[in-house]
Amino acid sequence: MNTTNRPRRHDTHSRRWIQGSLLAVVGGATLGIIGAVWTSANNGDENTNVAISTESVVIDIPVAKAPQVAAGVRVSEPAVDRGKLPLNTTVSQVYELVNTGSGTAKLGEPTIEVLDGCCPPEPQLSQNSIAAGEKALVAVSMQMHPGMDGPHLFHMTVPVQSPVGEDALHLYFKGDFGG
């Protein structure tokens, strides 16, 4: 039987699924996660899938701004929200670490994690050990350019070892570049 002259069969029952917004609470911080739109249309032997992604939403700093102590080392302001920041301008943040213990505290190499945004700065540590009652600094400097704009949230971890034990300080930097 010759099927080349037969009209093509069209399935009038196309399927459309829309996944909506999902609101999740993570460690006291509210994340808005926007779902993707998926459309599947079936026309005989053809399938078409379309996915639309959305931009990230602003994430809150997941810790209180209250002072933090780890293995006898104290930071008065571990979470900093700088608000709106200009593009093409160097922005610096310094965290002061004070040894409140009775012995020397050793600081490990700080690491940084991007929780929102892009292009993490490299944390700089002023010294690797702090005598009792002395202080050290952890600093970050960054400059965002067009295309890197929007909300940024960085989490820095500074390992601490002292006669009291081992722990880590958790520092946060938040800013909306070009916002």
Side-chain angles (χ1 to χ4, degrees), residues 61 65 77 79-84 172-176:
I61 296 174
K65 294 182 182 181
E77 193 175 5
V80 176
D81 185 347
R82 297 281 297 268
K84 297 192 182 298
Y172 293 87
F173 175 89
K174 181 178 180 179
D176 186 359

Side-chain angles (χ1 to χ4, degrees), residues 69-133:
V69 178
V73 175
R74 181 177 197 264
V75 60
S76 294
E77 193 175 5
V80 176
D81 185 347
R82 297 281 297 268
K84 297 192 182 298
L85 298 166
L87 291 174
N88 299 318
T89 303
T90 300
V91 174
S92 297
Q93 181 63 48
V94 178
Y95 301 85
E96 186 177 89
L97 313 180
V98 178
N99 183 350
T100 60
S102 59
T104 300
K106 295 184 187 222
L107 304 174
E109 193 64 34
T111 58
I112 192 161
E113 173 186 17
V114 177
L115 300 179
D116 195 14
C118 66
C119 310
E122 189 169 325
Q124 301 295 316
L125 188 58
S126 66
Q127 59 202 54
N128 291 335
S129 65
I130 314 172

Side-chain angles (χ1 to χ4, degrees), residues 19-98:
Q19 296 176 340
S21 299
L22 170 64
L23 222 49
V25 176
V26 178
T30 303
L31 296 174
I33 302 171
I34 309 300
V37 177
W38 179 55
T39 304
S40 175
N42 187 347
N43 293 328
D45 57 352
E46 295 177 23
N47 283 323
T48 306
N49 293 322
V50 178
I52 301 170
S53 69
T54 59
E55 304 238 351
S56 66
V57 292
V58 177
I59 298 175
D60 289 331
I61 296 174
V63 297
K65 294 182 182 181
Q68 183 185 129
V69 178
V73 175
R74 181 177 197 264
V75 60
S76 294
E77 193 175 5
V80 176
D81 185 347
R82 297 281 297 268
K84 297 192 182 298
L85 298 166
L87 291 174
N88 299 318
T89 303
T90 300
V91 174
S92 297
Q93 181 63 48
V94 178
Y95 301 85
E96 186 177 89
L97 313 180
V98 178

